[in-house]
Each structure stands twice: as C-alpha cells, then as structure tokens.
C-alpha cells in the first residue's frame, strides 16, 4: 500500500494559528503561547484526518535567500514577525523535537523550497505527499502524487488541491501557476509582476499564451492596446517575477525520508514542555502511564508525599450515636479534610447525601439517616477546633450553614482552589478534576467530578455513585495538591495573602449565602407593573412620532426609522448591521430629538424589567429570600463577584432602578438594615501607595478631597471652589486612578482636549508623587510582567511588552489601576472577615448579609443596633493600617433603598 508523507509549512501554520486565536494566551511567566497551541491543534487534526506514515516540518531562516540576491526588494516592506510570535518558534521546535518530528531548515532557501525538494524526492521514492500550508504559492507543486492542503478558514478548515483540482479551479496546470504569479505579482512577497494585471487578467493571458515567455514572445498578439503596451514595457519584470515565484525543488539539504517515519514521542520531555506552557488539554491527551503520571488516585494504604497519609481505617457512619468516634478524632486533630455531597438549589435548603472527613489516616464517610443526624453533626462541627482543608470549601460550608450553624466560625487551614487562584487569578476554571489532571496527568476517578450549575454543592454524573470511595479520592487529591500548591504559594511570596485575606473569607461568603436577603415579592411585582405601563406609554409616543409601528428592540428597524425615514443625523451604515443605534450614537441626539430621548428611556426600563424584575422573581426561594452567589475566584483584581443574581449591577443612578432596592427588606419586624460604606477608598489607597504628602494630609485632616483637589488644580481657596470646579476635580481624581488620557477626560467633562490635558498636568504638578507612583508601576510591570497590591496580590499583564500599540496602552492603564483596585478589594475582604468574627465573638444574632463594592450590609436586631454600628465602624476602619485614615459612612433603614 502506498505510504504518505506530510510536509508542513511551519512558518505559515504558526502565523495562521497566532492570528486566528483572537485572545492572547499567556503563561504565568509571561510566555505567549497561542501560536504553538493553534499549531498543535492543526497538527492533531492533520494526523487524525490523513494518518500519514511520515512527517516533517519546514521553517524559514532569517538569512537572505537566492531571491534576495536577484531582487533586493524581495519581501521588502513585509511586516516583521511580532516578538510575541517570534519567541514561540523556538519553543515549537523543541516540541517537534520531543515528538521526534524532523525540523528542516537551511540558510539561503525558504521553507517553500525545502518543501518542494521533499515533495520531489518523495515522489521519486514512490510516496504520496501532502503539503500543509496557508500559502497559495505552493499550489505549483501539485501533481498526481503531490497534493497541497490549504488552511482555508482560521485553523479549523482545509482545502485540498491536486493536479485535477488545479485544472478545475484555474483552467491551467500547476506548473503554469508559476507564470500566473509572475504576471500578477505578489504584494505579500513584494514580487512586482506587470502593473495593472490582476488575477482575472493573468488567468486570461495564461490560458491564451501558455506562459510568461509565450506572452512576452507574442506581445503583439495582445488585442487590448493598453495591456499590450504594459506587457512590452514590463517584459523583463514579468520574467524576473516568474523566477522569484518559482519554488526550487533541488535544495542542497540532506533529507532522509526514512528518518521522517513517525515515532513514539519523548513523553517525559513533552510533559515538561506542556507544563511549562500550561497546555493542560494536551497533557490530558498524552495519557501517560507510570509512577506519578497515571492511574487512579491512591486509595487506602497508599501515600504519595509527606502530606498524604496512609489510610489505615475507613468508617461509614449513618446514625447519630455513631458520631462519637468522629468527635473523638476531631478533638485530637489539628486539621481535617472536608467534602460535602448534595444538591445545590439556592431556592431551597440543600439535601446533603454524604460528608467525607479524612483525619490523619482515618477516613470517615457520613451517610445521613434519620432527621436528627445532620443537626447533631452540625453541633459537633460547631464545637470543632480543627482547621479544615478542602477545595472550594465555601461550597461545603454553605451546605453545613443551612443545617442551622448560624454562629459557626470554621477555621480554614487550606483551600486548594483559593491557593491556585492567588497563583493564577486569570484562570477560567478551578475544578479539582482539572487541577489533578494538569499536575499529575491523571483522572481524579472513573466517575467524573462536577459541580452543579449554581456552583455550590458537589455532585456526580452517575445516578448512584459510590460516594464513600469518591470522597476518599477527593480528600487524597486535595492533600496531594496542597503539598504542591503550598510550596508554590510560598515561593511566589503569596502566603500572607492566601492565609490572611482569602482563606478566612470562605466561611464569611458561605454564611452570607446561607442567610440570604429577604425580598418583598409584592413590591417587585408592583414595580414591574408600573414599569410595564410606562413601557407601553413610551411605545405609543415613539410610534406616534415615527408615524408607524415597528420593533423597538430591532436596531436595524430603528436605524431605518430614525436615519432614513426621519432623516436624523446618522453615523456610518454597514451592509450587514445597517445604521448603528448604540447608546453612544443616540446620546448625542437625545437633547435635540424627543423620539431619541424616549427610545433611550424605553431601553433603560426594558432592561430593568427584563433583568432585574422578571429575572429576580424566579430566584426568590421558598422562604422569600434571594441567595446570591459570592465568588472569590473570578476577578483578576481580587474583587468579589456576585452572580445569580448580580446584586452589584442593579442600576441605581436613575430612580426606577434605585427604587428596586425597596423590595429588599429585613426578615422580620424586629430587624433593621445597617450599611457601612468606605469613603473614597481607592483614592485613600492611592495616597498611601504613592506616599504623596499633600494627598495624605488632605485625607487625614478630613478635608473634602474633591474640593481640596479643585483648590490646588484651579489655584483658588477651598471655600471659593465652585460646584463645577469640584465636579471637574472629582473626574480628574478618579480619572487618574484609571489612567485616563486627556482625550478621555475631555469626553467625560465635555471640554476641549487641551483644557483636559492642562487639568491632568496641573494635578500631577500639585501631587507629584502620584505621577511618580503611576510611572513606577508601568516600569515595574514592563520589567516583571506583573504589578502587586499592598498585600502582595499579583496581577500579571504580559501585554505591556507586546507589539500592538492599543494593547500596550490598555496594559499600561491596567498597571496603574490594578494595584489600587486590588488593594481596595483586599481591604474590604479583611473588613468582612473582621466583622463576621466579631459578630460571633460578641454573641450577637445580627448577621452580615451583603457586600456590594465597598459597602457592607448587616441585618441587625434592633436591640443590638448601637453595638452593631460601633462594631461595623471599628472593624472596617481598622481593617488595614495605612498612612491615611480609613473612613466609613454609616446608614440604617427599613429597606435597602433607605441605606443611602
């Protein structure tokens, strides 16, 4: 049977892969990888689709080729390879070497020439050749036994050409494709061709005259006078262009076709490379076996490191009286690995189906039977002094809090998900299964571990899994990961951040979720009815002004009405989407056209009703509470994310949105809401981190910082500052935090760019150390690839050294802002833990129920009101020791609306 050799155009494919993957892929060490990643995916598809017996990859070298010697302008003006891609070429070659795939390259010749030579020699040896490339130049190499496979779309589709396919598409032979390129030239290679001769004309000329030589020799026979003159004038250019376009098929390179036969890869080397590049999916595909790299996790009687004990005893406990053995083990333990199994619907109390606890070498699996078992377990855990180890312990704590542990303050000794988060905050998933696979190249268990869509309680795909065995595998995996992650966290100097900020917070968030926020369903429904009536009224008025009814939610129809029928000033129109009717376009028209103002109001209210009324009502639980999810491992800055519903995003700038907060109420008449909001915390953090004396002094003296800034920037006394000047200074204060440019500030304040730039210059002149701090953050980020918060949290920003100007500018703004925003997030987390612990320590029944940005809300018993106010203020103001005083604004109310 005829064997096949695949020859890959390495430069072409890695270029195609790099630009096809829109979002940069960057390791924690700042190495760009999307080109390699895409190349390997294409390689896998090639091997699967074509199953070749032999394989080789050809690359260009930087040295000039014989074409440059003939034509100095060859490839002149071609955009240089971005450094982010260039760094990937060497790594790709290392991977190919580990795969035992020959890499072919030689000075003086291009990859095309090497490929052409391999194809000719393979054909002579009786092999079938497949050339994989994105470069159409190689179509000239097609024969009956040589096929060219073009990457047609991105990195996922291919198009195959042999001699017959070439004849069918172009009407001439692959050899004539060289003449075709000689006539029309090639802008990407700077091959000139004949000016004015495009693809259709070149094709017509080749079909009529057969070749460039035939055309030049018979130029007088060209019927078109202008074309005839061009051919005569550029005859030598056309002949040279043909020579430049022709691929050399006799490169002086030792090519051993037998050495191209596919071999088993060096898996050890591949593992090291894939780990270095953080290619977790490729690690999984290796399916490597052997010590430390395959098979199930250790079970009873096995140990894989100093933290993983030998399991000497396994107990299943189902009845309350059997809990005594667990209590004795916990009393003597410093730590225990915890995993809770159950369902996680936040609208009703979770049903716990099992609890795993690994204490030293003793494994306990608790299988609840009878109504008293879980309350007894909850009481036992409430008195437990052991620190818990787990993965996403917040989920386990939540389930246990729902059993009545309202005042429980568990100690979190280690959480592998949170450890991975501080190491890698931009990661998309922190599933235990994924982390085990990445670190140890094996599956967690035969039964895939998952979390439910709410992301709360762990459950498993099988109907009746062996949860006892699964729980043991889970606990051992957590301990094994702890051993690895603990060392990495210390090495990266993130231990304090993890142990002081993140680990204690898991219980706080679980408690807030279990407590929930009571909702007045009737208030929400009434708000929905009122907004619905207003939407109908707005629709009628818009239709009356437009002179016809149309779909208000269709941008295309709206654009046609506003800009074609009513002739309002319009922006650009595209063929597919029509006129743009986004907020930026309509905002500029709303003051002059009533219909536009009505449409903007309609959009605001429609979103409010659809997302925050119709969307909230189904989330109200059986106890008339909403339990939002608070997630620690989502944002790169360290801020807590709130989802299902996102209470942080309820629009409050306009009254209809703000009034929705009236529906959020205390659980009973004996309760009231108390809120505390940090005053200008990000500006205070900026003052501390920059060390600017003027800014620190203004805060510590209790000055109105925006008025103080206005007085300095505009050169007037504080009492003489106008409301407009204060407003402008406020925009500058916050603009500086986010690296706002003069253009951005001019748009924000509706002033000239020159005035905006003068404001910023004057601000930095008055607060010079702020400017120095911002510049220092950018410089440090360029040097290290990351910036840090006060508490050591790292934000990696590798794009700051990229070649793309817009990406670099955005990265510089991130470098300025991330230390400030991240530090503020760390402070609020410390404050939450302090408040949570003091409420429990002082024996109060009041509970922390919500964190929104820089605000904490406590559902407070009225007889504890003063104590809670004092506790809240002290805990928040003393959460971190900064050079500036942290200030808190207190409010109380019968509903959330009344807090501000």
């Amino acid at each position: 049977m005829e064997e096949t050799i695949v020859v890959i155009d390495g430069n072409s494919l890695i270029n195609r892969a790099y630009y096809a993957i829109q979002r940069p892929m960057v390791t924690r060490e700042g190495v760009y990888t999307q080109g390699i990643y895409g190349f390997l995916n294409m390689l896998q598809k090639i091997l699967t689709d074509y199953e070749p017996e032999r394989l080789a990859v050809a690359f260009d070298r930087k040295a000039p080729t014989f074409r440059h010697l003939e034509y100095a302008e060859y490839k002149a003006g071609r955009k240089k390879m971005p450094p982010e891609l260039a760094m990937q070429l060497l790594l790709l070659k290392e991977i190919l070497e580990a795969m035992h795939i020959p890499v072919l390259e030689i000075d003086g010749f291009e990859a095309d020439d090497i490929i052409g030579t391999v194809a000719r020699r393979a054909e002579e040896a009786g092999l079938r050749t497949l050339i994989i490339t994105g470069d159409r130049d190689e179509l000239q190499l097609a024969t009956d036994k040589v096929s060219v496979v073009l990457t047609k779309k991105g990195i996922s589709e291919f198009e195959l050409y042999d001699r017959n396919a070439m004849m069918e598409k172009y009407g001439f032979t692959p050899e004539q494709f060289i003449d075709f390129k000689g006539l029309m030239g090639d802008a990407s290679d700077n091959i000139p061709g004949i000016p004015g001769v495009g693809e259709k004309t070149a094709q017509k000329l080749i079909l009529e005259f057969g070749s460039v030589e035939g055309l030049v020799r018979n130029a007088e026979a060209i019927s078109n006078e202008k074309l005839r003159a061009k051919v005569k004038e550029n005859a030598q250019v056309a002949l040279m262009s043909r020579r430049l376009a022709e691929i050399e098929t006799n490169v002086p390179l030792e090519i051993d076709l037998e050495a191209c036969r596919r071999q088993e890869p060096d898996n050890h080397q591949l593992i090291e490379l894939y780990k270095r590049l953080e290619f977790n999916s490729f690690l999984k595909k290796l399916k490597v076996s052997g010590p430390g790299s395959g098979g199930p996790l250790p079970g009873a009687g096995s140990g894989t490191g100093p933290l993983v004990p030998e399991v000497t005893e396994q107990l299943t406990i189902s009845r309350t009286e059997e809990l005594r053995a667990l209590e004795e083990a916990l009393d003597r333990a410093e730590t225990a690995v915890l995993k809770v199994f159950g369902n996680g619907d936040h609208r009703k109390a979770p049903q716990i189906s099992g609890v795993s606890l690994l204490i030293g070498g003793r494994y306990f699996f608790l299988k609840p039977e009878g109504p008293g078992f879980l309350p007894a377990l909850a009481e036992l855990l409430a008195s437990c002094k052991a620190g818990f180890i787990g993965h996403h312990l917040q989920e386990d704590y939540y389930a246990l809090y729902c059993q009545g542990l309202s005042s429980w303050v568990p100690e979190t000794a280690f959480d592998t998900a949170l450890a991975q988060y501080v190491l890698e905050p931009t990661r998309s998933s922190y599933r235990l299964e994924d982390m085990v696979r990445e670190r140890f190249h094996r599956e967690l268990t035969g039964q895939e571990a998952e979390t439910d869509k709410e992301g709360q309680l762990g459950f498993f795909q099988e109907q009746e899994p062996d949860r006892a065995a699964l729980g043991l595998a889970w606990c051992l995996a957590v301990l094994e990961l702890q051993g690895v992650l603990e060392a990495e966290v210390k090495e990266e100097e993130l231990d304090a951040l993890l142990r002081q900020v993140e680990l204690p917070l898991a219980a706080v968030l679980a408690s807030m979720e279990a407590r929930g926020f009571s909702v007045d369903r009737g208030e929400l429904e009434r708000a929905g009815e009122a907004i619905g009536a207003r939407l109908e009224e707005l629709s009628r008025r818009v239709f009356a002004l437009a002179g016809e009814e149309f779909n208000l939610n269709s941008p295309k129809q709206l654009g046609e009405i506003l800009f074609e029928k009513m002739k309002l000033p319009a922006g650009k129109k595209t063929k597919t989407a029509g006129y743009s009717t986004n907020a930026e376009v309509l905002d500029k028209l709303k003051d002059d056209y009533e219909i536009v103002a009505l449409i903007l109001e309609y959009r605001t209210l429609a979103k409010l009703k659809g997302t925050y009324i119709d969307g909230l009502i189904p989330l109200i639980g059986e106890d008339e509470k909403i339990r939002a999810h608070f997630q620690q491992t989502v944002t790169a800055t360290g801020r807590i994310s709130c989802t299902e519903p996102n209470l942080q995003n309820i629009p409050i700038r306009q009254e209809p949105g703000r009034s929705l907060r009236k529906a959020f109420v205390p659980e009973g008449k004996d309760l009231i809401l108390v809120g505390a909001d940090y005053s200008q915390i990000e500006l205070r953090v900026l003052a501390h981190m920059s060390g600017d004396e003027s800014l620190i002094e203004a805060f510590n003296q209790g000055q109105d910082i925006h008025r103080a800034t206005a007085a300095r920037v505009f050169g007037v006394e504080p009492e003489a500052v106008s409301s407009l000047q204060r407003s402008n200074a406020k925009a500058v204060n916050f603009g500086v935090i986010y690296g706002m440019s003069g253009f951005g500030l001019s748009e924000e304040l509706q002033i000239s760019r020159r005035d905006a730039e003068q404001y910023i210059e004057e601000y930095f002149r008055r607060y010079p150390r702020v400017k120095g701090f911002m510049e220092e953050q950018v410089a440090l980020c360029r040097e290290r690839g990351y910036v840090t918060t006060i508490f050591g949290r790292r934000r990696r920003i590798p794009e700051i050294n990229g070649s793309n100007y817009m990406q670099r500018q955005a990265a510089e703004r991130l470098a300025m802002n991330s230390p400030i925003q991240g530090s503020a997030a760390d402070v609020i987390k410390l404050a939450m833990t302090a408040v949570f612990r003091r409420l429990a320590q002082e024996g109060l029944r009041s509970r922390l129920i919500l964190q929104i940005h820089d605000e904490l809300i406590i559902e407070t018993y009225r007889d504890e009101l003063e104590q809670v106010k004092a506790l809240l203020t002290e805990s928040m103001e003393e959460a971190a020791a900064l050079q500036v005083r942290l200030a808190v604004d207190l409010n109380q109310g019968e509903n959330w609306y009344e807090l501000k």
Side-chain angles (χ1 to χ4, degrees), residues 559 562-564 567-573 579-580 585 589 593:
L562 295 179
F563 304 124
E564 291 185 0
K567 306 297 182 186
L568 271 62
K572 290 183 179 179
K573 180 182 179 182
Y579 294 98
S580 173
V585 171
L589 303 173
Y593 300 95

Side-chain angles (χ1 to χ4, degrees), residues 18 23-37 40 84 87-88 91 95 271-280 282-283 420 422-428 438-439 488 492 781 784-787 794-801:
Y18 177 79
R23 183 176 176 272
M25 293 174 61
V26 190
T27 69
R28 288 192 290 128
E29 301 303 321
V31 178
Y32 284 78
T33 61
Q34 71 260 37
I36 304 172
Y37 183 82
L40 293 177
E84 299 91 334
M87 71 168 62
Q88 297 179 55
L91 289 167
I95 291 171
I271 288 169
E272 293 305 312
L273 286 165
Y274 287 167
K275 285 168 67 176
R276 177 179 164 194
L277 298 175
E278 299 170 10
F279 284 168
N280 304 322
F282 293 131
L283 282 168
Q420 187 70 60
V422 299
L423 286 166
E424 198 176 5
T426 56
R427 186 184 172 100
S428 60
E438 292 162 20
R439 297 281 182 171
E488 290 184 9
E492 296 287 328
C781 191
R784 304 181 304 193
Y786 64 87
V787 289
R794 294 184 180 183
R795 174 77 182 271
R796 298 184 185 278
I797 314 172
E799 296 85 356
I800 201 161
N801 290 316

Side-chain angles (χ1 to χ4, degrees), residues 162-179:
D162 56 13
R163 178 179 289 275
N164 290 333
M166 285 289 293
M167 292 292 292
E168 185 177 332
K169 181 174 178 66
Y170 294 102
F172 49 71
T173 67
E175 293 85 352
Q176 288 175 305
F177 190 79
I178 307 169
D179 298 276

Side-chain angles (χ1 to χ4, degrees), residues 128-182:
R128 178 173 176 261
T129 304
L130 288 176
I131 297 168
I132 314 293
T133 183
D135 189 350
R136 303 186 80 84
D137 290 352
E138 292 171 44
L139 292 175
Q140 64 184 271
L141 298 172
T143 69
D144 292 332
K145 299 192 72 170
V146 177
S147 299
V148 179
V149 181
L150 292 178
T151 52
K152 182 182 177 184
K153 180 182 179 183
I155 59 175
S156 59
E157 293 185 20
F158 299 97
E159 193 172 57
L160 187 144
Y161 288 90
D162 56 13
R163 178 179 289 275
N164 290 333
M166 285 289 293
M167 292 292 292
E168 185 177 332
K169 181 174 178 66
Y170 294 102
F172 49 71
T173 67
E175 293 85 352
Q176 288 175 305
F177 190 79
I178 307 169
D179 298 276
F180 176 67
K181 290 296 295 278

Side-chain angles (χ1 to χ4, degrees), residues 350-539:
Q351 300 297 310
I352 294 177
S353 55
V355 178
S356 289
L357 281 157
L358 181 60
I359 305 168
R362 302 180 73 191
Y363 174 62
F364 296 84
F365 182 72
L366 314 179
K367 189 176 181 181
E369 289 183 7
F373 184 87
L374 285 174
L377 173 62
E379 186 176 342
L380 188 161
L381 291 175
S383 60
C384 168
K385 302 300 182 184
F388 290 104
I389 298 168
H391 185 85
H392 279 309
L393 276 168
Q394 179 188 339
E395 301 168 4
D396 307 297
Y397 293 156
Y398 168 77
L400 295 169
Y401 271 119
C402 289
Q403 305 306 316
L405 287 174
S406 60
S407 59
W408 184 37
V409 184
E411 289 294 328
T412 303
F414 201 84
D415 188 310
T416 47
L418 295 179
Q420 187 70 60
Y421 171 63
V422 299
L423 286 166
E424 198 176 5
T426 56
R427 186 184 172 100
S428 60
S429 166
Y430 296 89
R431 291 175 64 246
L432 181 66
E433 176 74 7
D434 294 336
M435 290 168 58
V436 167
R437 187 183 299 125
E438 292 162 20
R439 297 281 182 171
F440 309 118
H441 322 305
R442 60 169 175 248
E443 305 299 320
L444 171 61
T445 174
Q447 299 160 322
E448 180 81 359
E450 294 287 351
T451 55
D452 64 301
K453 64 181 181 180
E454 264 93 13
Q456 287 301 315
L457 298 178
F459 74 93
F460 299 85
Q461 290 180 329
E462 292 192 9
Q463 291 295 317
E464 293 294 334
D466 182 354
R467 288 203 171 92
L470 208 52
L472 177 58
W474 178 283
C475 292
L476 289 167
V478 166
L479 284 179
E480 192 171 25
L481 276 171
Q482 180 188 358
V484 175
L485 293 170
E486 210 161 25
E488 290 184 9
V489 166
K490 287 178 181 175
E491 185 180 345
E492 296 287 328
E493 299 180 347
L494 293 166
D495 198 51
L497 173 71
L498 176 64
R499 296 189 182 281
Q500 296 171 23
V501 180
E502 298 295 350
L503 293 181
L505 191 67
V508 183
L509 299 181
S511 171
M512 287 165 53
E513 289 181 353
R515 183 78 173 198
F517 204 152
S518 292
V519 177
D520 184 338
R521 189 189 296 263
E523 180 68 31
L524 268 185
E525 289 172 345
R526 286 190 293 275
E529 290 168 4
I531 290 175
R534 177 60 179 165
L535 287 171
E536 288 182 12
E537 180 188 350
L538 288 169
S539 299

